[in-house]
Amino acid sequence: FDSIATGKKDWTEMMKKFYGNFHPVVEDVQQNASRESGKRVLGTHPENNKEVSVRLGKFGPMVQVGTVDDEEKPKFASLPQELQIESVTIEQALSLFELPRTLGEFRGETLEANNGRYGPYIKFGKKFISITNSKSPTSITFDEAVLLIEEKIKADAPIHVYEGKDVQKGKGRFGPYIKWNNIFINVGKKYDWDNLSVSDIEELIEDKKQKEREKVIHNWEDEGIKIEKGRWGKFYLIKSKKKILLDKNLDVASIDLEQAKEIYKANTSKK
């Protein structure tokens, strides 16, 4: 690449030489290689005698009832983390097809246990509460589900009220945070997460508000249009849920409302 950059070597010749050897290998893999699925046949279904197996699928380990050669399409269920391909029994595998399980009612809402993309959960109204402590959606009891819900309600309870809006705390993919006015605010290591003081909470919120204000270059509230600074020096025009990346050559500071409308119109009228 250094030789190409300095003009000592022709890049087209280099690509021809590389691709001439590389392409046949790709073709051979496509035609002859088989994907390792880790398939394990558990037995036959007691009701319809169809094959029951477990294997790796596109979205992870799964149970399959039937094969592609059957008249009916196979049925699938995700294999939860507590069950392994090499050790799951046919009884455990078939129990996954009983989901979602209705556990009963709590506070006027029907409780359901199920497996989802991010693992097993309890559905309580519009809330989805992760099933923890190695419990399974196929065996968790009503009382155990209620305990998880009460713990979640307690964890979501406001820890403070600021400017008339509740403040909640939690932990997500990127670490601990507080939530205020539908804004998620990361809590850094300089704060004592377990013992956040009122001054800590209000400082975090005010710092976040200041950063949000600094992001806004223009804000035409009556039109619902604004221009914000994004990451890596990029700028966006935002209206409703549409976010338009602005040309890097534009003088963003000098854009007026009419220009903003034209940019929005040009981007929304494209086929």
Side-chain angles (χ1 to χ4, degrees):
F1 287 115
D2 288 339
S3 298
I4 292 170
T6 56
K8 295 179 181 178
K9 183 174 287 188
D10 181 56
W11 73 269
T12 56
E13 289 299 320
M14 185 276 289
M15 288 302 298
K16 284 180 183 178
K17 184 177 179 181
F18 166 78
Y19 199 67
N21 295 323
F22 180 69
H23 184 66
V25 176
V26 175
E27 289 292 321
D28 179 64
V29 169
Q30 286 181 329
Q31 294 175 15
N32 302 314
S34 59
R35 184 181 296 275
E36 181 58 52
S37 68
K39 179 178 177 180
R40 175 173 164 246
V41 177
L42 304 180
T44 56
H45 197 291
E47 296 177 4
N48 54 32
N49 289 322
K50 289 185 177 181
E51 179 185 280
V52 180
S53 62
V54 286
R55 64 182 179 86
L56 285 174
K58 184 177 180 181
F59 301 106
M62 65 179 188
V63 181
Q64 178 175 326
V65 175
T67 68
V68 292
D69 297 324
D70 296 337
E71 290 185 11
E72 295 181 357
K73 290 183 178 180
K75 293 182 179 180
F76 303 94
S78 296
L79 197 67
Q81 291 182 352
E82 68 269 15
L83 299 178
Q84 306 297 320
I85 287 178
E86 61 272 13
S87 60
V88 63
T89 66
I90 189 169
E91 291 79 12
Q92 290 171 322
L94 291 178
S95 69
L96 298 173
F97 291 90
E98 299 171 3
L99 299 175
R101 282 176 63 222
T102 300
L103 303 179
E105 285 199 2
F106 179 64
R107 296 189 180 183
E109 300 285 356
T110 300
L111 304 187
E112 285 186 352
N114 203 353
N115 266 320
R117 183 177 179 184
Y118 301 107
Y121 65 86
I122 299 293
K123 185 174 184 294
F124 171 59
K126 294 182 179 180
K127 291 183 179 291
F128 295 85
I129 295 132
S130 295
I131 295 176
T132 55
N133 301 326
S134 302
K135 299 293 182 183
S136 166
T138 60
S139 61
I140 191 169
T141 66
F142 173 80
D143 290 339
E144 290 170 335
V146 167
L147 184 60
L148 288 175
I149 292 167
E150 289 177 336
E151 288 176 351
K152 178 66 173 174
I153 291 172
K154 183 179 178 181
D156 289 346
I159 59 171
H160 184 51
V161 176
Y162 188 64
E163 295 182 350
K165 299 178 180 68
D166 290 344
V167 180
Q168 297 167 305
K169 65 187 294 191
K171 289 187 177 180
R173 289 177 60 193
F174 304 107
Y177 65 85
I178 59 171
K179 182 182 177 184
W180 174 80
N181 195 25
N182 289 321
I183 300 172
F184 291 87
I185 305 166
N186 292 331
V187 178
K189 292 182 179 179
K190 70 179 250 186
Y191 297 97
D192 183 353
W193 165 247
D194 294 317
N195 300 289
L196 287 175
S197 66
V198 170
S199 60
D200 290 337
I201 293 167
E202 296 183 354
E203 181 180 78
L204 283 162
I205 293 172
E206 286 301 323
D207 285 349
K208 182 67 174 180
K209 286 168 65 178
Q210 181 61 31
K211 288 178 181 177
E212 292 298 311
R213 283 192 293 267
E214 291 172 354
K215 281 172 54 178
V216 179
I217 309 301
H218 298 290
N219 188 10
W220 298 283
E221 292 186 17
D222 292 341
E223 299 290 338
I225 300 174
K226 61 182 177 179
I227 293 177
E228 285 188 356
K229 183 179 181 180
R231 299 174 70 183
W232 302 300
K234 296 180 180 179
F235 294 89
Y236 297 89
L237 186 148
I238 302 168
K239 183 176 181 180
S240 299
K241 294 183 179 180
K242 189 166 182 65
K243 193 173 184 179
I244 300 165
L245 175 63
L246 297 178
D247 190 301
K248 64 181 180 180
N249 296 315
L250 282 174
D251 182 2
V252 176
S254 66
I255 293 176
D256 59 23
L257 178 58
E258 292 307 313
Q259 287 176 296
K261 286 181 177 180
E262 287 297 321
I263 293 170
Y264 181 78
K265 182 179 178 181
N267 279 270
T268 53
S269 63
K270 291 179 180 179
K271 292 184 180 179

